[in-house]
C-alpha cells in the first residue's frame, strides 16, 4: 500500500509539473508576444525619416583605435563608441570596374545611393555614362525634405553621388552646377547643403551662391549664421575647400555636430512627409590618405559627436531610421606596428596623440611658412621631444616642402603610438554596418553595399502614413 501511495504521489507530481509547463507555454504564446510584437512593429514599420551616415574611410582598425583613444582621454575602463551597440552586420565595398577591385568613394557612394555598381570615379552614372536614379531623387518625388551635412567640400564624391550625376568626380564645378540645375518636379533636390567648397560655387564664370540666394536659400558662412537664418532651405559653405581638421578648425567654422543639429532642427519643422538626411564624416578619409593618426582621431571624435546628435534625435522621435556605415577603409591603418616588443609591450598607445594640440598638417605649414621648427613643435606638442625627433623635422624643413615636413612630424606620432600604415590609398576589406530605429532589420547580416540603396528605395517608395 505504501508503494502504491508513492507511485500515486509521483504521478500526481508529474501531472502538476506538466500542467505548470503548459501554463507557462500558453502564457508565453498568448501574452508575451503583445510586447514582442510591439517591439517588432517598431523596428519593421516604415520610418518617417532616414538619417544615412557615412564615416568616409572608416575601417574597423580605425574604429578600434578611436575606442582606445576615447578610453584614454576620458580615463574610462570601457572604450565604446556611440554606434557600437547598434552593429547589425558588414558590407562589401568593391566596385564594378574594368581594372580595379578596390573602390573609390565615388563608386561606393553610387552603390549606396542608387543600388547599382559602377566604375571608379563615376558619380551616379552607369558604364554607358547614363544617369542612375538615386534615393535622394526618390525622396524628393515622395515630397520628403532633404539635407546633406559633410565635412568635405559639398562637391566631393559622396554628396555628389547622392545628389547629382557626372561621368567623373573630378568635374567639381560641373557638379556644383548640377546641385542647382538638376531638379525634381521643378524643385532643387537638396534643401539643406552644409559643408565646404565655396570656391566651386562662387566662381568668375558663375555665381551659384547668388543663384541659390535668389531661389530662397539662406547663405551661411559661419556657425553664428545658424542663429539668424530663417529660410527652410540653407546653403552653408564654411571654407573654400574641405573643412580643416576639427583640431585645427577656426572658431567661426562649425563642427559636424553643429551642422547636424542645425539641419535636424530645420528638417523637423512642419515635417509632414518625413526627410532624408546624408551625414558624412568625410575628412576621416582625408586624414587616412595623409597617414595622419592625429588628424584621424580628431575627425573620428568630431564624427562621433555628430552621430550622437543624430541618434539622440532618433531616440526622442521614434520614427527615424539611422544607418551608419563606411564606404571603404583608407590608409591600411594598423592598430599596432613595428617597434613593439615584449619590453615595450604589445600596446597601441594613444597618449602621444592626445598630447598634440594641432595636426602635423597644421604644424608643417607653419614651418614651411618660416617659423622655427623648435617653436612650432614645442608650442603644439605636449611631450618632450628627443634630439633625434627634432633633427628629423629640421632636416625635412630644409626641403621647404610642407608635405615632406608633415611626414617627418607624423613619423614621431606613429613611432610613439605604434600606428602603422600600408598605403596612401584605399584598402578593400568589408566595413561595418550599424542601424537603429524602425526598418533596421533590412540592414542585418553580410550585405553588398548596393543593398543599402535597394533598402532605402524600398522604404522611401513604400506606402505609409507619411507618403501615401
Amino acid at each position: 500500500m505504501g508503494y502504491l501511495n508513492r507511485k500515486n504521489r509521483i504521478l500526481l507530481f508529474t501531472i502538476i509539473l506538466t500542467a505548470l509547463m503548459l501554463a507557462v507555454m500558453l502564457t508565453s504564446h498568448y501574452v508575451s508576444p503583445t510586447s514582442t510584437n510591439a517591439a517588432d512593429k517598431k523596428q519593421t514599420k516604415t520610418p518617417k525619416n532616414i538619417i544615412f551616415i557615412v564615416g568616409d574611410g572608416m575601417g574597423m582598425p580605425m574604429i578600434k583605435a578611436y575606442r582606445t583613444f576615447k578610453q584614454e582621454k576620458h580615463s574610462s575602463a570601457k572604450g565604446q563608441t556611440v554606434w557600437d551597440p547598434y552593429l547589425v552586420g558588414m558590407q562589401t565595398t568593391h566596385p564594378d570596374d574594368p581594372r580595379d577591385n578596390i573602390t573609390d568613394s565615388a563608386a561606393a557612394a553610387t552603390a549606396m545611393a542608387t543600388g547599382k555598381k559602377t566604375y571608379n570615379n563615376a558619380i551616379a552614372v552607369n558604364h554607358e555614362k547614363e544617369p542612375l536614379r538615386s534615393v535622394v531623387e526618390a525622396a524628393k518625388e515622395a515630397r520628403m525634405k532633404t539635407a546633406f551635412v559633410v565635412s568635405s567640400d559639398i562637391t566631393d564624391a559622396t554628396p555628389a553621388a547622392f545628389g547629382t550625376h557626372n561621368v567623373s568626380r573630378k568635374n567639381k564645378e560641373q557638379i556644383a552646377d548640377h546641385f542647382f540645375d538638376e531638379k525634381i518636379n521643378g524643385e532643387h533636390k537638396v534643401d539643406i547643403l552644409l559643408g565646404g567648397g565655396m570656391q566651386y560655387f562662387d566662381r568668375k564664370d558663375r555665381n551659384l551662391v547668388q543663384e541659390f540666394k535668389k531661389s530662397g536659400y539662406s547663405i551661411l558662412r559661419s556657425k553664428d549664421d545658424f542663429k539668424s537664418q530663417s529660410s527652410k532651405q540653407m546653403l552653408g559653405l564654411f571654407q573654400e575647400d574641405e573643412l580643416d581638421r576639427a583640431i585645427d578648425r577656426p572658431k567661426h567654422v562649425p563642427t559636424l555636430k553643429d551642422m547636424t543639429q542645425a539641419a535636424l532642427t530645420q528638417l523637423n519643422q512642419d515635417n509632414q512627409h518625413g526627410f532624408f538626411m546624408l551625414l558624412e564624416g568625410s575628412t576621416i578619409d582625408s586624414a587616412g590618405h595623409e597617414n595622419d593618426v592625429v588628424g584621424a582621431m580628431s575627425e573620428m571624435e568630431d564624427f562621433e559627436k555628430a552621430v550622437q546628435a543624430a541618434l539622440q534625435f532618433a531616440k526622442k522621435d521614434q520614427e527615424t531610421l539611422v544607418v551608419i556605415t563606411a564606404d571603404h577603409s583608407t590608409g591600411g591603418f594598423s592598430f599596432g606596428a613595428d617597434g613593439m616588443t615584449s619590453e615595450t609591450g604589445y600596446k597601441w598607445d594613444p597618449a602621444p596623440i592626445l598630447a598634440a594640440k594641432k595636426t602635423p598638417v597644421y604644424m608643417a605649414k607653419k614651418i614651411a611658412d618660416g617659423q622655427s621648427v623648435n617653436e612650432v613643435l614645442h608650442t603644439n606638442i605636449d611631450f618632450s621631444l628627443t634630439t633625434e625627433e627634432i633633427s628629423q623635422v629640421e632636416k625635412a624643413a630644409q626641403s621647404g616642402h610642407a608635405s615632406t615636413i608633415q611626414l617627418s612630424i607624423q613619423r614621431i606620432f606613429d613611432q610613439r603610438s605604434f600606428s602603422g600604415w600600408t598605403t596612401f590609398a584605399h584598402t578593400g576589406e568589408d566595413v561595418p554596418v550599424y542601424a537603429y530605429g524602425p526598418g533596421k532589420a533590412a540592414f542585418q547580416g553580410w550585405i553588398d553595399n548596393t543593398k543599402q540603396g535597394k533598402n532605402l528605395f524600398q522604404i522611401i517608395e513604400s506606402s505609409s502614413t507619411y507618403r501615401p
Side-chain angles (χ1 to χ4, degrees), residues 135-156:
V135 295
V136 172
E137 290 164 336
K140 261 300 167 191
E141 289 166 359
R143 295 184 290 174
M144 298 173 75
K145 297 179 183 181
T146 51
F148 289 2
V149 175
V150 298
S151 54
S152 64
D153 68 87
I154 290 169
T155 65
D156 201 37

Side-chain angles (χ1 to χ4, degrees), residues 392-432:
Q392 78 181 29
V393 179
E394 287 176 335
K395 184 177 179 181
Q398 293 172 9
S399 70
H401 299 301
S403 59
T404 304
I405 301 167
Q406 179 186 334
L407 288 172
S408 71
I409 299 172
Q410 287 174 187
R411 195 174 303 119
I412 295 170
F413 290 101
D414 286 343
Q415 289 175 342
R416 283 178 174 255
S417 65
F418 299 112
S419 296
W421 305 88
T422 64
T423 179
F424 290 105
H426 297 169
T427 52
E429 66 268 28
D430 297 350
V431 293

